[in-house]
Every structure is written in C-alpha cells, then in structure tokens.
Amino acid sequence: MGLKKMGAILGFVGFLMLNELLVCMAQGNVHYYDFVLKETNFTRLCSTKSMLTVNDSFPGPVIRVNKGDTVYVNVHNQGQYNVTIHWHGVKQPRNPWSDGPDYITQCPIQPRTNFTQEIIFSTEEGTLWWHAHSDWSRATVHGAIIVSPAAGTTYPFPQPDAEETIVLASWFKGDVPAIIEEALNSGGEPNQSDAFTINGQPGDLYNCATDAESIYRILVDYGRTYLLRIVNAVMNEEIFFGIAHHNLTVVGLDGAYVKPITTDFIMITPGQTMDVLITANQSLSSYYIAANPFFDGESQFNNSTTTAILQYNGNYTPPASPPMPALPRYSDEDSAMNFTASLRSLASEEHPISVPQNITTRMYVTVSVNQLICPERNCSGPNGNRLSASLSNISFVPPPISVLQAYYRNISGIFDKDFPNEPPYYFDFTQQNMPSNLSVPTQGTKAKILNYNEVVEIVFQGTNMLNSAENHPMHLHGFSFYLVGMGVGNFNDQTDPGRYNLVDPPEVNTFGVPKNGWVAIRFTADNPGVWFMHCHLERHSSWGMDAVIIVKNGSTSATSMRPPPAYMPPC
C-alpha cells in the first residue's frame, strides 16, 4: 500500500476519532446513581412513623451534573407500594421512556423490582428536582438536581463563595398513601399536612418542636455571598419564603437564568425551583429563614410557618429569639402576582432565548375544580357529591397501561386523541354562583396530538366552579416554555395578546394560573413523545386536572422518538 494511500486512510480514521470525541464532548459526561426506595422510620413533632424514602434520606439525595450530561439512575423498589420517579424540568429530548409519570410514560416499578432510567440533560442550567410520580409518594420521595454550567463556562453573575440547597416540603403525621386513598374513596378533601419542612426539619414554631432537634441551620461567614438553590416540593400550597434582614436576589428559575431581581421575599409554587443569591452583610447574629403558605382559595389548607436559622460564624451572644422576615399575608394575591410578573428571562448573548412568534396551534384550556354526581348523595364532597377537577371540562382517567406504550404499539381503546383546542362552551368563567350543571365534567383519557415543530400557544383560564377559584401551578413535561402573558378575569383574545411580553418572558416548566385569571404560554413542539400536563397541587391532579400532549415524530431519525429500552416495567 502506498504511503499516500496509507496517509489518507490514517487521516480519515483520525477524522472519525476526532468526530467521535467531539460528539462525546457535546454529549457531556455520564453519571450513575442507585436509588433504593424503602420504608424508613422518621420522628418529627413527637411522632414516629415509617415512610418511603430514597437511600434512607428525607429529602433524598442530590443529583449533580453539568449542562449536557447524562445520568443513569437504577431505581430499586424495596418498599410496599408501586412507584415511579420523574425528573422534573429535564426535557429528556426524544426520550419519554424515562420521564416517569405512572400510566403516562411507564407502568409503575413494582415492589422487589428495579428499573434503570436514563436522564438526558440538554439546555437546562441551574436547579431542578426529581420526585415520585405515583399517587402521593412524592411527599417523601424527592430531591434536588443541580445542573452546573458546562465545562469552560460560568454563571452569568459573580461566582458565589458557596451554595446551599433548600428543599421545602410537607410533613404528614399520618400515612400519606392512606390519606389520599381515603379521600378518593370518600370523594372529599384529603387531610392537610401537619407541618412544612425546610430540608426535612419543621423548625421550632410547631407544637412539640425543640430548637436543637427540629430546625435546620445554615452557617455563613460575614461578607460572603451564597447561592441558595430552592425547591418547592410542598404538596398542596404555594409558598412565600424569606430571610430576616437579608435581601434575596433571584437569578434563576426552573433551570434557566433570569434578569436579577432583588426582593424581600419570593413566591414559589409547588414544582418550581429558584436560584437566589444572598450576601451575609448583617450584624453577626442568627436570623430566621421562614416559609409560609400563599393560598387564595376557599378550601382548607395548612396555614403554618416552617423555620430554619441563618447563623453567622463568629463570637457573639445569640439572640433569645431571632428576628423573623416580614412575609406577605397568606391571602395576598397582589404580592404573589406582582412577584411572578416581575420575572424576566436573562436573554443575553451568552444565554439567548427564542420566543415563538408565528403560532400554528392555539389552545384555550379552562382549569376547574368540579364535582361528580354521587347518585345516593352519600359522598363527602359538596352537596354529597364527589370532588373532581378538569382541564377544559374533561376530568382525566388514568388508563390501565401507559399512554406511551399504547401510542408506540398502536394499541387502541386506551386513550382518545381528541383533547379539544377550546372548552365545550363559553360563559363568564370567573362569575360567582355558577349553575350547578356547569360544574360536572366529562371523564376520559384524552391527548392532544401535535405535529413535530408546531408552534403552540396555550391560554390557561382559571374558573370559579363551585366558588372554589384559586391559583393553579400548571406543569408540562418534556418542555420549557415562555410565559408570555398573564392577567385577571376572562382572557380577551382581541386585546390581551397586545400586552404579551415577546421580548424577554421567563422560560419555565411550571407556572401559576392566577385565581380567576389567565396565563399564556408558548413553545415549539420539537420534542417527539408522550408528555404529561397537569396541576402540581397534588389533590387537583389526583382529581383529574391532567391531560396528555403527544408530539409526533419528525421526518428524520434525529427528529423522532427513540425506541424503548430493552426493559420497561410491566403493568
């Protein structure tokens, strides 16, 4: 073989090796985790109970990656219940098989079995989280995901001196699966939680709580800046959060950066994550970190306050009672809405955004709490009926196998492909005392089918069915989307679009639909697969405030859903 030919071959081989290296670099590093789910005893508020946890911890372990990495998590179910795990805010490009919601993308992982999930990170950067997505097991099965900048890049703000993860959650003294099972059987409201927690501890304001045993402490040095990665894993309440005498600078939301906002408090909905900077610039002392609910509805809720301590290092006499942050009143709708309305994407050269402009599919989706008629009027909901919830007057019914399996295998009779672009009838959605016949939804397992690369706008309209209007945090799997507009009252399709922010709207995966108001979101349907859309107030999702969005394959293998893994949990 001639030297010239040999050189050409070696050059081609070298090109292939370099190309493969570049592809590997583009895909990032690979990480492996084992999640062992089992019952573990925990004592809080003078009460001990056994509850499902991951690796014996509450909250569960933190997953740490860099932007663009891939993670394999082998989930071992050694508990008593079926379970699934969802990677909240991770888009999972072309990979719905590992997204996690039960009977949507997979059948549950049964006790004494395991399932390895592949989590593919793409454009996300910041704080996300993972949680169980079956019944109410996410109350105790959840943890943070930290996505650091890719190698060779950094934050769009000064490098913090240190960081701290803060997970807000609900604490139930009772057995959580039994609580929701009883509520679904009776048709009434589930028992509310007994406390909120910060990193697993309720704080020292609850009965039978002592400072030494029940409060989480963050130690800080004067003059240093800290990045707080905040996750709201609370089951059924939005949360106001603050730190006494310290400003909070919000720099990230749902795995994307925002223009910095300096504030006394944040309002964070269940499912949301926020990246917040604080500077330890106050007198050496201890200061309360506090979180209490924002709730503007009519039903019962946990109106309590969980606390932690921001404690300065140094020599000083700790105060007998640390100062508390001044948080808004639980029903302060203006404070909640004004905070949300102030959020803007960073939209910089290094972190650009692309707000969809030429809409091809418009949807108008009503969000309602409803009732299903009990013939004997012997249920525990309003008027002796059963509490329900719906999107566009359709209350979701979980199928016997996963929607993804039925779609991929072309199995008929599992779901319908006719989720509507608008509700079945129009009226004043926010009026008081609606006729009772309007409050009864239809039931079904329905999906909205989108072609690949369709440009979608969805307006979510809050309603006042049963006089039970409240803020609804809506979450869409498989996508981040732009929150381009929000307002109170009924959406006006002639005037309200003129007030949209199409320049720097926040890019989110979870958002609050205001009480008796609306929000508008936009996204491009460029992630083929089956994706869940639901309220992140757990009781509403359990009642049927859910739907499925299916994005069809594109014209190439690179724009098509990946094939299923060799093993998926059976039903």
Side-chain angles (χ1 to χ4, degrees), residues 127 155 157-166 216-230 241 243 246-252 261 274-282 284-285 287 289 309-314:
T127 305
Y155 301 115
F157 46 81
Q159 179 76 27
D161 296 296
E163 65 178 52
E164 181 81 25
T165 301
I166 295 177
Y216 187 81
R217 294 176 181 271
I218 298 176
L219 301 180
V220 298
D221 292 318
Y222 181 83
R224 302 186 79 188
T225 297
Y226 296 82
L227 174 59
L228 305 183
R229 300 181 176 273
I230 304 173
F241 172 95
I243 303 175
H246 289 75
N247 287 330
L248 310 176
T249 301
V250 182
V251 293
I261 299 168
M274 291 188 187
D275 295 326
V276 175
L277 295 173
I278 66 161
T279 298
N281 56 8
Q282 298 300 303
L284 299 187
S285 189
Y287 300 85
I289 303 168
I309 294 290
L310 185 77
Q311 180 176 316
Y312 280 70
N313 291 314

Side-chain angles (χ1 to χ4, degrees), residues 169-440:
S170 302
W171 181 264
F172 295 82
K173 289 185 178 180
D175 179 64
V176 177
I179 289 172
I180 184 56
E181 182 178 5
E182 178 183 354
L184 293 178
N185 287 337
S186 70
E189 286 267 9
N191 291 343
Q192 64 191 44
S193 61
D194 296 287
F196 300 117
T197 60
I198 296 176
N199 287 353
Q201 296 293 346
D204 57 0
L205 301 185
Y206 292 98
N207 291 334
C208 199
T210 61
D211 178 80
E213 297 178 356
S214 58
I215 195 161
Y216 187 81
R217 294 176 181 271
I218 298 176
L219 301 180
V220 298
D221 292 318
Y222 181 83
R224 302 186 79 188
T225 297
Y226 296 82
L227 174 59
L228 305 183
R229 300 181 176 273
I230 304 173
V231 176
N232 186 354
V234 169
M235 296 292 279
N236 287 305
E237 291 92 359
E238 286 93 358
I239 293 293
F240 288 123
F241 172 95
I243 303 175
H245 296 181
H246 289 75
N247 287 330
L248 310 176
T249 301
V250 182
V251 293
L253 172 67
D254 282 2
Y257 294 115
V258 298
K259 290 181 170 65
I261 299 168
T262 299
T263 177
D264 295 331
F265 68 91
I266 62 172
M267 196 285 284
I268 183 168
T269 72
Q272 279 188 328
T273 58
M274 291 188 187
D275 295 326
V276 175
L277 295 173
I278 66 161
T279 298
N281 56 8
Q282 298 300 303
S283 301
L284 299 187
S285 189
S286 294
Y287 300 85
Y288 267 129
I289 303 168
N292 58 26
F294 162 59
F295 191 83
D296 54 4
E298 300 298 327
S299 60
Q300 294 182 346
F301 69 103
N302 180 348
N303 188 14
S304 68
T305 301
T306 179
T307 54
I309 294 290
L310 185 77
Q311 180 176 316
Y312 280 70
N313 291 314
N315 296 320
Y316 59 89
T317 301
S321 179
M324 284 287 291
L327 297 178
R329 178 175 166 78
Y330 74 84
S331 58
D332 191 340
E333 299 174 36
D334 289 341
S335 290
M337 191 165 182
N338 289 341
F339 172 78
T340 301
S342 69
L343 298 167
R344 297 283 187 270
S345 284
L346 186 59
S348 66
E349 184 177 348
E350 295 80 12
H351 298 277
I353 63 172
S354 179
V355 183
Q357 303 290 328
N358 300 314
I359 304 301
T360 59
T361 297
R362 297 183 187 274
M363 299 177 65
Y364 185 57
V365 177
T366 52
V367 182
S368 306
V369 173
N370 307 87
Q371 60 180 335
L372 296 173
I373 301 300
C374 292
E376 304 297 327
R377 303 285 179 168
N378 58 352
C379 294
S380 299
N383 308 311
N385 292 321
R386 177 179 300 279
L387 281 164
S388 178
S390 68
L391 295 176
S392 287
N393 208 46
I394 302 165
S395 186
F396 188 81
V397 177
I401 64 172
S402 77
V403 175
L404 176 57
Q405 179 183 349
Y407 174 70
Y408 189 79
R409 306 289 182 193
N410 199 25
I411 302 172
S412 62
I414 302 301
F415 70 96
D416 297 317
K417 301 178 181 180
D418 59 350
F419 187 89
N421 282 348
E422 56 186 323
Y425 35 78
Y426 284 80
F427 50 93
D428 182 356
F429 295 116
T430 63
Q431 67 179 304
Q432 293 286 326
N433 304 314
M434 294 183 189
S436 60
N437 65 299
L438 294 177
S439 66
V440 180

Side-chain angles (χ1 to χ4, degrees), residues 86 88-89 99-102 104 129 131-135 138 235 269-271 365 367 389-391 396 460 472-478 481 509-513 531-549:
H86 167 55
H88 187 115
D99 189 51
D102 64 344
I104 306 299
W129 67 302
H131 60 83
H133 215 304
S134 44
D135 298 321
R138 83 164 176 88
M235 296 292 279
T269 72
V365 177
V367 182
S390 68
L391 295 176
F396 188 81
F460 290 88
H472 295 280
M474 297 300 300
H475 172 51
L476 174 60
H477 294 215
F481 43 82
N509 61 62
T510 308
F511 59 93
V513 179
W531 308 107
F532 201 28
M533 179 172 70
H534 63 96
C535 181
H536 227 282
L537 299 180
E538 209 65 21
R539 69 189 192 282
H540 291 171
S541 184
S542 297
W543 293 339
M545 196 177 285
D546 319 303
V548 174
I549 287 182

